[in-house]
Amino acid sequence: MNASPSQPHPAEWPETQELRDTEERSLPAGRHALHKEHLMAQIRDDIRSTGTSAPARQRNPFLRKAILLPAGACALAGAIVGGVALSGGDGDSDGVTPLATGPALTTRLGAVDAKGGPQLLDRISLAAGSGDTDGPVVRDGQYVYIASKVANTYPKTVNDKTTVVSTELHDRQVWQSADGKDGWLIEPGETSDEGTTLAGPHPIGSAYNSLVKLPADPDALLRKIYKHARADKDKGVPVDQAAFVAIGDLLTESYPPAELARALYKAAAKIPGVVAVDDAIDATGRHGVAVARMDDTGQREEWIFDKKSLKFLGERTVQVKPSPDKNDPIKPGTVVSTSAITQRAVVDGNKQTPSQAG
């Protein structure tokens, strides 16, 4: 993720214009969200199969919104459900009502096994190959439907006083056509109740027709990802972290075939610095194990999996160490981003839900 749980800078998104004046959502230079936008803009352009001439820097509204803004929510869902008082805004003329906000979401940091990441990813890859070995098949005219729970954490400035706040946990629904040229988004705080179109020739790497054309060989797949990570190095994006984030994007708000999912996990196992975390909590409060990597701003991106089935649940980003930027108000223990997948399905029409399918 989008329109976005990865990403264009908030200033590039018309959906965020209602947040001007009293709320400041910009991040210090070099933070995670900007890192992600740099790499993904290039890799999506390289792996797209739509044949359009859209510029590589064009925003991709299909990637998850959880990373569009400095984001957050997680086991924090528990805090929200438990009765944290939230205060909202009055909305504006475009029909988008700002989400209620409350105290910054925090979490207990799971213990890290510095050598356990590759081993855990090998197990996850094997689990992805069991049961349905082929994964989804999306035909022309069909759409991938993904429902998730997300929330955002960001610095908010009112009357020259800055505090860190989190939005309430909320639903996000995305439809994406097989070719990536059509879709729909419904997300409180970002669209009206009816949602917004995602139609248009976007350089989408997460579209199904693009995913099936990616190499299923882990080494070839990783070379493709690193090619763009290295090209982005001059923009201050650490190469290994950029590659890890790119794989996370392809796992989250898309529906990769099982063969590609296995390759993505095996490719991630080859990235230096990947670790295992014994406990992480997704946006809906589900506990799991995590594959993670920390960037140079002290943030750790965690891919969360069910402890027994090793099914992918979602991801979150947690501030683990103090940021090198002394003015950064995000403190260790803060959940900076989150996305929990609640349903993935193939449907026959745009804006159709699985329950409506015949």
Side-chain angles (χ1 to χ4, degrees), residues 30-327:
R31 289 187 64 88
H32 174 83
L34 185 57
H35 289 183
K36 178 170 296 201
E37 187 271 337
H38 283 309
L39 176 67
M40 292 306 294
Q42 293 188 47
I43 191 171
R44 290 193 299 266
D45 183 54
D46 183 67
I47 64 180
R48 72 183 187 272
S49 63
T50 60
T52 69
S53 58
R57 301 291 294 180
Q58 185 172 1
R59 66 181 179 90
N60 179 357
F62 292 100
L63 292 176
R64 64 195 182 287
K65 182 61 178 217
I67 314 298
L68 167 62
L69 302 174
C74 98
L76 339 140
I80 296 175
V81 174
V84 173
L86 300 174
S87 60
D90 297 325
D92 59 21
S93 59
D94 66 1
V96 177
T97 302
L99 287 166
T101 60
L105 298 166
T106 59
T107 188
R108 184 187 71 83
L109 299 176
V112 170
D113 180 351
K115 298 181 179 180
Q119 291 89 340
L120 178 55
L121 281 163
D122 283 344
R123 290 173 51 209
I124 292 168
S125 179
L126 289 172
S130 63
D132 181 1
T133 58
D134 295 325
V137 175
V138 187
R139 297 185 296 273
D140 289 343
Q142 291 186 310
Y143 291 74
V144 169
Y145 168 80
I146 300 177
S148 59
K149 296 279 189 179
V150 301
N152 304 305
T153 297
Y154 61 93
K156 178 179 179 179
T157 300
V158 179
N159 296 329
D160 295 327
K161 181 180 180 181
T162 299
T163 58
V164 178
V165 299
S166 295
T167 61
E168 62 183 329
L169 188 69
H170 59 280
D171 293 313
R172 173 177 168 83
Q173 297 181 88
V174 171
W175 289 262
Q176 183 184 44
S177 62
D179 62 8
K181 295 181 180 180
D182 192 20
W184 196 258
L185 168 69
I186 300 176
E187 182 178 0
E190 302 301 331
T191 72
S192 66
D193 291 343
E194 292 77 20
T196 187
T197 182
L198 298 179
H202 302 284
I204 295 169
S206 60
Y208 181 81
N209 289 355
S210 295
L211 293 177
V212 297
K213 293 182 182 296
L214 288 175
D217 175 75
D219 292 321
L221 182 60
L222 194 59
R223 283 195 298 271
K224 181 178 286 290
I225 292 171
Y226 264 94
K227 173 184 176 182
H228 293 284
R230 292 190 180 96
D232 217 38
K233 186 176 181 180
D234 292 341
K235 299 172 184 175
V237 182
V239 173
D240 294 326
Q241 184 66 14
F244 185 79
V245 167
I247 292 175
D249 274 342
L250 294 177
L251 291 172
T252 306
E253 200 158 271
S254 66
Y255 202 174
E259 185 179 19
L260 177 60
R262 291 192 292 270
L264 287 169
Y265 295 134
K266 289 180 179 180
K270 300 174 183 290
I271 298 175
V274 173
V275 302
V277 180
D278 70 343
D279 186 61
I281 311 171
D282 76 1
T284 62
R286 297 176 295 190
H287 284 257
V289 292
V291 173
R293 195 178 190 283
M294 188 167 65
D295 69 11
D296 60 356
T297 69
Q299 293 184 7
R300 186 170 73 198
E301 178 163 343
E302 301 176 342
W303 306 340
I304 305 171
F305 301 84
D306 182 87
K307 291 183 177 181
K308 293 184 178 180
S309 70
L310 297 179
K311 177 183 177 182
F312 182 69
L313 301 178
E315 71 170 357
R316 69 176 184 175
T317 302
V318 180
Q319 191 76 37
V320 175
K321 294 183 178 181
S323 170
D325 185 342
K326 301 303 181 182
N327 295 319

